[in-house]
Amino acid sequence: MLDDPGVDALVRQWTAERSHDADAVEAHRIASEWMADAPVAAPGIPGQRARAGASRWSQVESTDPRYLVAMRKRLPGVPEELLSAAAGWWQMVGGVAEAEEWWDAGMSPLDQRALDYRAAGLAPSDLRRRLGPLTVLEHLRRGSAPAWCVARLQRQRRDGAA
């Protein structure tokens, strides 16, 4: 897997700042005490009324544990809340297998730009394709717009140069 050094450096910086910042430690302690005193409401979604007649609540988890397991394998030292936030975004758009394809293609699990690339129409297999002397991933990392890359790939396919 190709790593994005910018994302990895950001994660290391974020972790270092959070572990040594006395204000953050104190804020976390206060928030934890406050949350411990607050009543806990179980998350849920309304049940299907057509079958049940009355509304029911079904338990849901905020983050699918399969995503967290997959992310922990790739990023063992990253704080749980950062993994949970990233996994939450990935589980909204696709399965664990698709997220792992992006990761194997060179996108860090914490790099949310992959979601933008996906929305623009790029697939993980497109990142290795060449547009001139650079791959699509190299173009994206240098700041090219995902839409530009998609248009160039479509032109290659149309012209038969792919």
Side-chain angles (χ1 to χ4, degrees), residues 37-128:
D37 293 338
V40 177
I45 56 175
Q48 296 295 324
R49 293 179 188 214
R51 268 192 246 142
S55 66
R56 298 177 303 164
W57 291 91
S58 300
Q59 292 290 94
V60 295
E61 293 189 29
S62 60
T63 304
D64 188 335
R66 295 174 301 150
Y67 285 84
L68 289 175
V69 168
M71 289 185 133
R72 265 192 224 106
K73 279 193 283 187
R74 293 168 186 271
L75 301 164
V78 175
E80 188 75 20
E81 61 269 8
L82 189 57
L83 286 180
S84 182
W89 284 105
W90 275 108
Q91 80 184 37
M92 284 194 298
V93 298
V96 174
E98 182 184 359
E100 287 180 333
E101 286 178 33
W102 280 98
W103 302 337
D104 292 338
M107 297 302 301
S108 169
L110 299 175
D111 192 346
Q112 297 302 300
R113 292 177 296 181
L115 298 173
D116 296 334
Y117 302 159
R118 182 184 186 278
L122 291 171
S125 59
D126 291 333
L127 299 182
R128 283 180 247 122

Side-chain angles (χ1 to χ4, degrees), residues 125-126 128-132 136 149-162:
S125 59
D126 291 333
R128 283 180 247 122
R129 303 215 25 219
R130 298 195 80 70
L131 295 175
V136 171
C149 293
V150 169
R152 289 284 309 269
L153 287 171
Q154 288 174 344
R155 188 177 319 139
Q156 274 186 354
R157 288 182 189 119
R158 186 186 65 229
D159 294 344

